[in-house]
Amino acid sequence: MSSNPNWHIDRVLDRPGPFTDEAFVGGQTARDFLQNECKILVIGAGGLGCEILANLSKMGFRDIHVIDMDTIDISNLNRQFLFRDADVGKPKATVAAEFIMRRCPEVKVTPYYGKIQDKDEAYYKQFNIIICGLDSIPARRWINATLVQMVDEDDPESLKPMIDGGTEGFRGQARVILPTINACYECSLDMHTPPTAFPICTIASTPRLPEHCIEWASVIEWPRVFGDKKLDNDDPDHIQWLYEQASERANKYKIEGVTWQSTQGVVKRIIPAIASTNAIIAAACCNEAFKLATTSAPSLDNYMMFTGNVGIYTHTFSLDRKPDCPVCGSETLESDVNGDWTLQEFIDSLIERPDTQVKKPSLLIGTRKLYFQAPPQFEKQTRPNLSKKISELCQAGDTITIQDSAYPFAIYVKVNFS
């Protein structure tokens, strides 16, 4: 074997392959770009992000940035292999960057401990490729919308490829998003499996599973005891209280299996992470980054699904853009509305709608405010509209502007009365 630590990269870049892009320029030119010019951003330094960072550092990428807003918890150590016991409580991005640079001195990793929303377009424009190793749909939606909005037809450098990886137990997916060219993340939003919901009558009267007891503690017992006090899923004291209540109820109904970890998992909708799935999806994401950076092979077109729960099986397909996508589409969304609905019922329909999935929308027509979530004085001023019929507030064919924290820009919905 060669003493050159990059011999495996050189073998790929020194000669074209059977599927190499016509634009491929191998040899030293490709190596120089990969090692000295290409700047790559990794969003997320958790189970998937640790694998991605390790892979990139051994694939020739020398200028890597990483963003993560979390600190290390002891429960992370079984699969997030860049962290050790002494790192508990420290920022994931900082510790991961330091670990990679200790192991690979030729690689520079720049960490940022904070939210992706803290950064502006100028920050994201500096990168050649962005890889997402996130466990949050809202965060994916935000960065996807930001990258789509950044695209300027007169500036080819404004298009930043986004590689998105995600895992769910033994299943996972990797996809390549070329903003405004192929399907964006929002185009596939309605493909996501909705979170498991338990019938309220079951959790209230006839619990049969430990999950029923935990859900009862969080949905029924917490509001009864604490009223309007918000349950904080990240507060260990809150989780402890739920665990104690759920355990007491489980004992009453002779149900086994309520633990502190399961309580946290149910409340936060946590699906157990599998280290091998993270490794497979991270490898797929980094493979796509390498292909995009070097043109040594065609990139994924554009979605790969891994279903490890039924064997080692992958399926690749091309996901089409949606003309009415609120992010990359050119058409205004339409909504068929019962004229007798109140504005609150209309807002509820937007929240439930699979192709918008807004959380706390503010609505206006032109400059006229229908309802604003914030600031408090606007919320108080527009709150009476919630109980009014929507037919009193707008006319058929009106376009309502919707602003929501999930989007870094507004979306537009044309109202049709049915």
Side-chain angles (χ1 to χ4, degrees):
M1 184 180 291
S2 171
S3 59
N4 176 8
N6 296 320
W7 67 272
H8 58 297
I9 299 171
D10 293 346
R11 290 193 64 179
V12 175
L13 297 183
D14 279 345
R15 59 182 187 270
F19 304 107
T20 302
D21 191 283
E22 293 179 1
F24 175 70
V25 178
Q28 193 59 41
T29 301
R31 284 195 291 275
D32 284 345
F33 176 78
L34 184 69
Q35 298 174 354
N36 303 321
E37 297 181 40
C38 187
K39 185 180 288 190
I40 193 164
L41 173 65
V42 178
I43 303 178
L48 197 54
C50 283
E51 295 276 359
I52 290 171
L53 288 167
N55 289 348
L56 292 176
S57 68
K58 295 309 236 177
M59 294 176 72
F61 294 94
R62 300 262 178 98
D63 192 354
I64 305 169
H65 290 237
V66 58
I67 294 182
D68 198 293
M69 63 179 287
D70 287 340
T71 55
I72 299 164
D73 183 80
I74 194 169
S75 63
N76 302 147
L77 302 183
N78 69 330
R79 64 193 181 281
Q80 298 176 20
F81 58 88
L82 301 183
F83 311 139
R84 301 293 183 266
D85 289 344
D87 299 323
V88 171
K90 298 178 182 178
K92 288 184 177 181
T94 305
V95 174
E98 292 172 351
F99 189 103
I100 294 294
M101 289 190 289
R102 281 198 307 273
R103 199 60 75 87
C104 305
E106 73 281 6
V107 178
K108 178 185 176 184
V109 184
T110 305
Y112 176 70
Y113 170 45
K115 298 180 180 180
I116 54 174
Q117 292 87 348
D118 295 343
K119 301 295 187 180
D120 58 13
E121 285 190 3
Y123 174 81
Y124 293 108
K125 281 183 178 178
Q126 68 179 304
F127 300 106
N128 299 95
I129 300 168
I130 294 170
I131 304 181
C132 294
L134 292 160
D135 59 1
S136 163
I137 290 177
R140 283 189 177 99
R141 296 177 71 187
W142 190 91
I143 189 62
N144 170 76
T146 297
L147 297 181
V148 171
Q149 285 297 104
M150 275 172 41
V151 176
D152 180 353
E153 292 182 359
D154 297 325
D155 180 14
E157 295 296 320
S158 65
L159 191 154
K160 306 299 178 182
M162 170 177 153
I163 301 169
D164 178 57
T167 65
E168 189 176 84
F170 285 102
R171 299 180 298 170
Q173 84 282 331
R175 61 187 298 186
V176 175
I177 296 172
L178 304 176
T180 72
I181 293 178
N182 64 8
C184 77
Y185 184 81
E186 202 78 18
C187 291
S188 62
L189 195 61
D190 52 5
M191 291 172 56
H192 290 283
T193 305
T196 302
F198 301 106
I200 195 70
C201 56
T202 299
I203 64 175
S205 305
T206 55
R208 299 184 300 277
L209 302 171
E211 291 81 2
H212 293 163
C213 301
I214 298 166
E215 196 82 349
W216 170 86
S218 62
V219 174
I220 296 177
E221 194 65 2
W222 178 277
R224 187 187 71 79
V225 175
F226 295 104
D228 294 333
K229 182 178 179 181
K230 191 174 186 298
L231 173 63
D232 185 353
N233 296 343
D234 294 316
D235 188 327
D237 292 335
H238 289 198
I239 299 296
Q240 180 65 28
W241 187 90
L242 295 176
Y243 165 59
E244 291 170 358
Q245 302 303 311
S247 296
E248 187 176 321
R249 186 168 178 81
N251 291 335
K252 177 181 177 181
Y253 286 91
K254 296 181 173 53
I255 298 171
E256 297 180 354
V258 174
T259 65
W260 198 94
Q261 287 77 14
S262 67
T263 302
Q264 184 185 47
V266 170
V267 173
K268 298 183 72 171
R269 300 293 190 258
I270 294 173
I271 297 172
I274 309 297
S276 57
T277 310
N278 285 338
I280 291 167
I281 298 303
C285 291
C286 295
N287 194 33
E288 294 307 317
F290 185 84
K291 290 190 289 184
L292 286 170
T294 63
T295 67
S296 56
S299 62
L300 176 68
D301 182 26
N302 49 30
Y303 202 112
M304 184 277 286
M305 296 178 63
F306 170 70
T307 49
N309 55 322
V310 293
I312 304 176
Y313 175 75
T314 62
H315 173 57
T316 302
F317 62 95
S318 180
L319 189 69
D320 293 331
R321 289 180 67 186
K322 292 176 64 175
D324 60 348
C325 172
V327 173
C328 72
S330 57
E331 299 179 7
T332 299
L333 294 175
E334 297 202 15
S335 181
D336 293 326
V337 178
N338 186 326
D340 291 331
W341 278 3
T342 62
L343 183 62
Q344 180 63 66
E345 289 175 314
F346 175 66
I347 291 174
D348 292 341
S349 74
L350 292 174
I351 293 172
E352 295 170 1
R353 185 169 169 163
D355 60 347
T356 56
Q357 294 191 26
V358 290
K359 290 190 173 182
K360 292 184 177 180
S362 294
L363 287 70
L364 64 159
I365 298 177
T367 58
R368 179 165 58 90
K369 303 177 185 68
L370 298 183
Y371 178 68
F372 264 45
Q373 299 277 353
Q377 61 268 30
F378 283 177
E379 197 283 330
K380 184 177 180 181
Q381 177 187 343
T382 57
R383 191 185 308 157
N385 286 342
L386 292 175
S387 58
K388 293 181 180 179
K389 291 182 179 180
I390 192 168
S391 56
E392 298 174 13
L393 299 170
C394 67
Q395 298 178 351
D398 279 353
T399 298
I400 297 179
T401 302
I402 300 171
Q403 299 173 340
D404 188 85
S405 59
Y407 297 103
F409 58 91
I411 61 175
Y412 303 93
V413 176
K414 181 181 177 182
V415 173
N416 301 317
F417 290 138
S418 58

